[in-house]
Amino acid sequence: MDKGLLVIVSGFSGAGKGTLVKGLIDRYDNYCLSISATTRDPRPGEENGRHYFFVTVEEFERMIAEDRLIEYARYVGNYYGTPRDYVQKKLEEGKDVILEIEMQGAMKVKAKFPNVVTIFVSTEDAATLKSRLMGRATETVEQIENRLIRAIDEAELMNGYDYLLINDDRDASIEQLNSIIMNEHRKMTYNTEFIGEIEKGLKTLFGR
Ligand code: 5GP
């Protein structure tokens, strides 16, 4: 059996990547979502251990020092990072593990895991992004502005991702996300184990 695939979903703040990832996990059972650690405050309705592990700066820095994170980054004044143990365990169980992380972290993971697939989620245009972010009303005006400024930098670097997903229709985008990942499983570079086995099997069968 294939080992699970590591999948990074990034995107502009407000592009709806969280909703897409949640939809994907609810619809298909071969996916697991990595829960990140962060030093930012919980938003209303967010639970510790479900949306994030909400930790202090000291706790986060201890996780870095003990090498318990696959990657971490600073985003608009806070630390965010991916705990290593859960991801490794689920990949070994053959699950596809989704990391919903920002760009700096994505590039670090890509350097460490050559088979990772990277997907960038955008709205259809900039104006839609702004109105979605404003409509969310979970951040202050200043925080929203900082996120939009950050989006300008992200737009410059988004072409480093493997796939672009334009989230203009939730259901269709969830299906596209699933198709991208399923196709990735069929890549020859991901199936070296199968290739080795069938080659060996054929040689044994035909005495070569
Ligand atoms: P938010 O505060 O909106 O939940 O997340 C802010 C940004 O941090 C989003 O782009 C989100 O994808 C990213 N993020 C969440 N968890 C992680 C993580 O573990 N590592 C990195 N590098 N980014 C993360």
Side-chain angles (χ1 to χ4, degrees):
M1 191 185 61
D2 289 350
K3 240 178 98 179
L5 197 64
L6 194 54
V7 181
I8 293 180
V9 179
S10 300
F12 300 124
S13 184
K17 58 189 181 302
T19 318
L20 296 186
V21 166
K22 187 177 178 304
L24 185 76
I25 305 247
D26 289 347
R27 210 171 277 185
Y28 300 97
D29 59 13
N30 54 311
Y31 297 115
C32 282
L33 177 63
S34 157
I35 300 169
S36 298
T38 184
T39 57
R40 88 149 159 74
D41 291 333
R43 292 187 191 128
E46 282 185 336
E47 284 169 37
N48 189 34
R50 199 158 88 84
H51 297 91
Y52 279 106
F53 296 107
F54 295 100
V55 298
T56 62
V57 171
E58 293 70 39
E59 282 166 335
F60 198 98
E61 288 177 345
R62 195 174 326 126
M63 291 174 94
I64 299 172
E66 291 172 357
D67 199 25
R68 280 159 55 202
L69 301 172
I70 291 179
E71 62 72 37
Y72 68 93
R74 284 191 78 86
Y75 176 91
V76 192
N78 283 299
Y79 277 128
Y80 294 80
T82 307
R84 181 186 305 282
D85 284 359
Y86 178 85
V87 172
Q88 272 179 350
K89 178 167 169 278
K90 291 295 167 184
L91 286 176
E92 272 156 29
E93 285 173 14
K95 295 273 188 188
D96 292 338
V97 180
I98 316 281
L99 308 185
E100 194 203 313
I101 64 176
E102 58 64 67
M103 207 164 247
Q104 293 168 37
M107 295 310 141
K108 286 187 211 159
V109 175
K110 200 167 176 170
K112 280 190 203 166
F113 296 82
N115 276 335
V116 66
V117 49
T118 57
I119 302 164
F120 194 88
V121 182
S122 175
T123 46
E124 57 269 42
D125 55 33
T128 312
L129 190 70
K130 187 175 177 192
S131 65
R132 279 213 207 151
L133 207 48
M134 307 286 254
R136 202 157 78 173
T138 46
E139 282 99 11
T140 63
V141 173
E142 195 196 342
Q143 284 168 336
I144 290 172
E145 265 174 20
N146 286 337
R147 282 171 180 247
L148 286 169
I149 293 167
R150 173 79 179 216
I152 298 173
D153 295 338
E154 290 175 340
E156 267 180 39
L157 296 170
M158 64 193 267
N159 65 358
Y161 279 70
D162 299 322
Y163 295 93
L164 171 65
L165 184 54
I166 296 176
N167 181 19
D168 52 2
D169 176 310
R170 179 181 174 274
D171 272 345
S173 296
I174 293 170
E175 287 313 306
Q176 270 190 44
L177 196 53
N178 182 52
S179 301
I180 290 170
I181 301 168
M182 289 300 106
N183 284 341
E184 209 62 26
H185 272 280
R186 304 276 55 84
K187 277 197 171 164
M188 284 297 182
T189 47
Y190 187 70
N191 286 283
T192 47
E193 206 175 300
F194 173 86
I195 297 166
E197 297 262 310
I198 196 133
E199 198 184 329
K200 209 171 95 198
L202 285 167
K203 280 182 180 160
T204 311
L205 211 56
F206 297 105
R208 302 268 168 114

